[in-house]
Amino acid sequence: MSTAPMVRAEQVRKSFGRLEVLRGIDLEVAPREVMCLIGPSGSGKSTFLRCINHLEKIDGGRLSVDGELVGYRQSGDKLYELRDAEVCHKRSEIGMVFQSFNLFPHMTALENIVLAPMRVKGDSKSVAVDRAKTLLARVGLADKVDAYPRQLSGGQCQRVAIARALAMQPKLMLFDEPTSALDPELVGDVLDVMRKLAEDGMTMVVVTHEMSFAREVGDSLVFMDSGVVVEAGPPREMLANPKQERTRTFLSKVL
């Protein structure tokens, strides 16, 4: 099995105008690892996640997924931005689940899931439909094939969104606060699906406020604040005994 990191960030920087949101992020995520990112609002967690699949372009440093630069190719000492078609191809290997589901409201659960495999990967309809039905069963929604998003709860919509991301057979899954828009009683079903994904060996980077999930499922925990990594380590150890004062202050308010 390859020991090269699935994600490697080296001094990654990102600014919006004069606001420097990421100020030199160094991180590595190993294959099959579940990394949880925590921190206050505005700390750069979601921006970093969006940089991993080139939804945001970085302004400095290097970012690679599975040994290949994200959004760029290197020739000599220079980096050249890839064409949109190449970026889309690379992005298809990275699943992303957003806070607000982003399902197409005029499509059924099944139609939402088969769209990208057929359009982007060129899968036949029968192959795409078979995989979609398998994935809906996997996330506990086998009976919701023909349901529209408006007929589903928030938690069910989020599980359809996870199935949609998995339909592209990604090598990496990114979750941007996947439970923060859900009613408390619906959170557990989504976290259970993510827990099973982790057990199946999916490499995951999860921006989350769910400390129990980070403690039980995470292999590593990263605390970010003001665009830098303040502290990183094994979740149980870090949650029980944070080394940095800033981490202690944050955890005292959320635990």
Side-chain angles (χ1 to χ4, degrees):
M1 193 177 97
S2 167
T3 53
M6 179 60 77
V7 180
R8 174 179 277 156
E10 302 167 271
Q11 284 298 300
V12 168
R13 294 180 174 274
K14 173 68 185 175
S15 297
F16 296 107
R18 290 185 174 179
L19 179 66
E20 197 174 19
V21 181
L22 300 177
R23 302 189 293 152
I25 301 291
D26 289 306
L27 281 179
E28 286 191 359
V29 185
R32 304 175 72 88
E33 179 179 344
V34 178
M35 176 181 281
C36 293
L37 300 179
I38 61 170
S41 194
S43 58
K45 311 179 300 292
S46 294
T47 298
F48 177 65
L49 211 63
R50 291 169 69 85
C51 288
I52 294 176
N53 69 352
H54 208 58
L55 283 175
E56 299 287 358
K57 298 175 187 176
I58 64 175
D59 297 322
R62 296 163 70 87
L63 190 51
S64 56
V65 171
D66 202 18
E68 295 187 8
L69 288 171
V70 174
Y72 299 89
R73 64 180 172 81
Q74 184 161 0
S75 181
D77 293 335
K78 288 195 174 161
L79 291 182
Y80 296 91
E81 193 161 0
L82 296 176
R83 294 194 304 272
D84 285 349
E86 295 172 286
V87 171
C88 286
H89 173 67
K90 292 280 173 225
R91 192 178 288 144
S92 71
E93 299 175 337
I94 303 171
M96 178 122 184
V97 178
F98 299 90
Q99 194 172 336
S100 53
F101 330 135
N102 293 12
L103 297 177
F104 293 112
H106 61 290
M107 293 183 176
T108 64
L110 185 79
E111 288 166 345
N112 264 286
I113 295 169
V114 301
L115 184 67
M118 288 169 63
R119 282 232 181 131
V120 179
K121 294 181 84 174
D123 286 356
S124 69
K125 185 171 183 180
S126 61
V127 166
V129 166
D130 282 351
R131 187 182 301 133
K133 287 181 175 175
T134 300
L135 287 168
L136 281 169
R138 188 173 170 188
V139 300
L141 296 173
D143 58 336
K144 301 296 184 185
V145 171
D146 297 319
Y148 288 89
R150 66 178 179 275
Q151 299 168 314
L152 301 172
S153 70
Q156 289 170 330
C157 283
Q158 194 59 293
R159 284 185 279 156
V160 172
I162 293 172
R164 178 180 60 180
L166 290 173
M168 293 296 284
Q169 298 177 297
K171 56 177 80 166
L172 169 67
M173 284 283 282
L174 309 175
F175 292 88
D176 190 6
E177 298 190 23
T179 58
S180 64
L182 303 180
D183 292 333
E185 69 266 26
L186 303 176
V187 168
D189 292 338
V190 173
L191 293 180
D192 283 345
V193 170
M194 294 169 64
R195 195 174 279 114
K196 288 187 186 114
L197 275 182
E199 287 167 5
D200 292 343
M202 176 61 77
T203 311
M204 295 158 58
V205 183
V206 184
V207 173
T208 187
H209 295 296
E210 302 289 339
M211 298 301 160
S212 59
F213 176 84
R215 184 186 289 112
E216 293 162 30
V217 183
D219 298 301
S220 57
L221 184 63
V222 174
F223 172 62
M224 288 178 64
D225 189 29
S226 303
V228 298
V229 173
V230 176
E231 186 168 351
R236 286 170 190 268
E237 201 176 290
M238 204 167 126
L239 290 170
N241 189 23
K243 294 185 171 62
Q244 301 297 324
E245 181 60 37
R246 180 68 190 92
T247 317
R248 278 198 288 277
T249 305
F250 175 77
L251 290 175
S252 72
K253 290 174 182 163
V254 297
L255 287 177

